[in-house]
Amino acid sequence: MRERLSMNKDWLFHLGEVGGKLSSTHDVIYGQAKAGGLKGPGGLEWNDNEWDMVQLPHDWSFRLPFDREHGVADFGYKNRGIGWYRKKFVLDEQDQGKQLSIQFDGIATHATIYFNGSVIHRNFCGYTSFSFDISDRAFFGNRPNVLAVRVNAEESEGWWYEGAGIYRNCWLTKTDKLHIAERGIWVNPQKQADKLWQTNIEATVRSEYEQPVHFTVKSTILDPQQNIVGEGVSESVVEPYDQVKLQQMIELNDPQLWDIEHPHLYTLKCSVLKDGLVVDELDTAFGYRTIRICPDTGFYLNERPIKIKGTCNHQDHAGVGVALPDELHAYRIKRLKEMGSNAYRAAHHNPAPELLDACDRLGMLVMDENRNFDSSEEGLKQVENMVTRDRNHPSVVMYSLFNEEPLQGTPIGRKMFKWMKNVIRRLDPTRPVLGAMNGGVMEDEGTADIMDITGFNYMNGAYEAFRAKHPQQPLIGSETVSAFSTRGNYVYDKQQQVFDSFDEQRASWGNTVRESWKTINTHDYIMGTFVWTGFDYRGEPTPYQWPSVSTHFGIMDTCGFPKDSYYLYQAFWLEEPVLHIVSHWNWLGLEGQPIKVMTHTNCDEVAVYVNGRLFDRQSVDIYEQQTWQIPYEPGTLTMEGYRAGKLVATAHQHTTGSAARLKIEPHKSVLLGDGRDAIVVNVHAVDEQGRYVTTANNLVQFSCEGSGFIAGCGNGNPNSHEADIASSRKLFNGSLQIIVQSVHGSENITLTFSGENLPEQQLVIPVQAAVEPPYVPSARDLYINDWFVTQEPQADKPDPHAEVDLTNMNTWEKVDVSFGFRESLKNKGGYIMYRAQLAAELIQFSRLPQLMFQAISGNVEIYMNGKLQFAQMIEWNTEIALSLEPFASDEQLAIVVIIGLHPDMHTPGINGTVSVRNEKQSD
Ligand code: GAL
């Protein structure tokens, strides 16, 4: 049966290129040209003893110091470079004959993957998920497999922080030889008359059997409550090493629809049977929903008109770079939902699968975007990759093929777009395709009119003219706003490189939040908006540069702490009354001075009180909001919001005392001890009376004990150069965040905080014991691959000390001893000799190494560096272990094994793996 195992654990990592120049002797060059013979860090043997052990997802870039001199502003002043990863792992003998594949969900940016001494895959986009088969090249039993990855993150694809390394999850999948192909399930429910739905299923079944196989595919649909609500069965025959695509259709009456409010998810359980037995089974989540677009009235979900209230987002988060634990994707989507947002543009990339899972579960529409505008074979492959991976997600409602491409308004761009769109059409005709344009929309021979929706990035002034020219062309604000604000800051200060929070500053090509939403909301034909951006992100610190290292565009900062505009969107996007006061009330020293204060509200009238005295009462135009200059007076500033004369909301700002302690708010009450879960812990300064002190900037120390560790921290300050992997951080305008990552165990987590003028405080987060999802452990054995053997037995016992010429291929034969007994030695007499060399630096002497022969027999003598270490007549294959003594680090360990043969012997020779094993194994 199918197994999906995490490959995230215990990789060895080296930052920077390794290897230097390899020896160019004939035997190295010759051997390297052969399958499995690769030398260097991608090969089987490499000294990775000193490499760091890391866990995936892993992003090395944000861990590096900020570098003004060499760093690029767009990349957040972090260097990228080259990195190497290696993971050794064993596969059970019982895995022989299974189909084995490795999936990488994302590596930034260019990756070369090596498996057991050969290049097995190359990938050229940092946002693409890819997989490859390793069945034919895998070793089973004791001999470890070596998966190595060279990441060239010098190659960039964006103008923002992209991270570097294996920053998404990695998996090993084991299936029967008859199995559902990679991405072989497509569920495409289509609504028929009234409430009747056809669930169209496409199942691709592959076989690596040597004979044709007759098989059955059984599809079962489970509703959100896990009841079986539909079934379909079909049969077919698949030829050897081939695949068959089966179509099934299961009718369902009145399913629970997937909607943004009620994201009902169904499960398709697809089973493949051979000779009546289930040999493979795969669950796919999907949803029943319709989408429709209308040039006049926009987007319809389940025939309900929905104004798209979206945000554009890059991938990174405070503390973790782009290597987000799965839970953090959900955290971010929830913050956006709470703001009233219903759509997410993965700008400008194909997102992590877990992000789409979160959008499915939480009810968030997604614009799935391709990274590279490229119609070459590689470019089309990237488009195909996006669609075959994502088309089962009900949340994905549109595909974007490009963002702001200089060719967008040209005949070449037009042809490219058509080619790319055709790939989508072929694989998924159900979703509209667009491009996000920042010009060229009026060109006759450009791309604007061959899109299903024309994406406008900014260009507010061009909507009308375009509409007049193309009245039938649906139109969306694929990117809007680009307003600037700094969380918790109310004074615009160019010197300090901060913005205020009154929705006034914006990029020259952008609009304020209010201007943009007014235009979009008052034009039915504009399908909606994707605001640049939901969250601040590292890099592109527009308009500032150093010391600013991340943007000021976000509605939230890099931690997901809301800026004031968050409440403005709530006012625009939520029905319920929203009333928020823009400004704190801690202006000590400015008594009597006018202080700018603003509303973010959807109430139609607001009254303002200073220390209980009515200051003003005004009606509020939602698109304008209200602003006052209020003479400062310590105490309490209160606003009351009215709808149709009725008090519906109240808000306060207090003059607080200084920070007296911390309010520690984990985003959920329990952490699972499964080694995967994560918890976001938000930390805020409060005064003696427990009121938030949004002006506090104290330095806070923290530590963590129990079944978890602090994966990283942040405070959302775009100008901070503090490290994210740290045990202290300054509050930024009252807040900081740490991300606690679970390790497998059940010991409750105790977080201890202390800080400047703050008492020590602890918070215990209960850890709930949980099964660790299955994973592939890493092996530490060092396999000795380089064995040479004398080709023919010789009558006289060879001299173990004699100088030998291993390049003489007529005397010496390279042999892979792990494949067992060599039939050529049957019924022979005389002697054979084996030789292998191992560099001393490969061995960790601190860990009591042993030289292990997994299976050896005959009249055995083993010499190490010329010294006889073992001599024994062994009748049956036996495992032996010899202690390895330290020797000079520049030396080679030369192993010579002489085996005396006799025609009566069963299986003389080295008949199994030889490895250096250290006593202390990793878990
Ligand atoms: C857009 C671009 C985004 C970002 C933004 C900043 O032109 O698509 O990636 O650079 O500007 O305003």
Side-chain angles (χ1 to χ4, degrees), residues 256-290:
Q256 302 164 60
L257 299 183
W258 185 92
D259 207 321
I260 47 179
E261 272 91 33
H262 303 287
H264 294 299
L265 286 176
Y266 281 65
T267 307
L268 174 75
K269 192 176 271 307
C270 187
S271 314
V272 180
L273 291 86
K274 180 173 169 262
D275 303 328
L277 293 176
V278 177
V279 294
D280 192 15
E281 197 162 81
L282 183 64
D283 286 354
T284 306
F286 71 100
Y288 291 87
R289 53 114 181 97
T290 62

Side-chain angles (χ1 to χ4, degrees), residues 159-160 314 348 403-404 457-458 479 482 507 509 532 537 540 553:
W159 50 95
W160 54 90
H314 286 320
H348 309 294
N403 178 69
E404 301 187 349
N457 281 11
Y458 314 96
E479 198 173 307
S482 274
W509 54 91
W532 193 265
Y537 52 95
E540 211 187 23
F553 289 124

Side-chain angles (χ1 to χ4, degrees), residues 475-488:
L475 195 160
I476 197 164
S478 44
E479 198 173 307
T480 57
V481 183
S482 274
F484 302 126
S485 63
T486 310
R487 176 177 60 77

Side-chain angles (χ1 to χ4, degrees), residues 671 673 705-708 743-750 765-769:
L671 182 73
E705 272 173 49
S707 302
V743 293
H744 187 221
S746 57
E747 200 187 321
N748 288 347
I749 283 170
T750 305
I765 301 175
V767 173
Q768 186 183 322

Side-chain angles (χ1 to χ4, degrees), residues 109-150:
T109 35
H110 286 196
T112 311
I113 323 284
Y114 304 84
F115 184 67
N116 287 347
S118 296
V119 172
I120 197 155
H121 197 87
R122 292 190 172 90
N123 189 63
F124 300 104
C125 176
Y127 303 92
T128 302
S129 303
F130 60 92
S131 65
F132 48 85
D133 198 295
I134 56 164
S135 319
D136 57 342
R137 304 298 306 271
F139 304 138
F140 301 92
N142 278 348
R143 182 177 184 179
N145 295 276
V146 181
L147 182 62
V149 184
R150 179 180 183 272

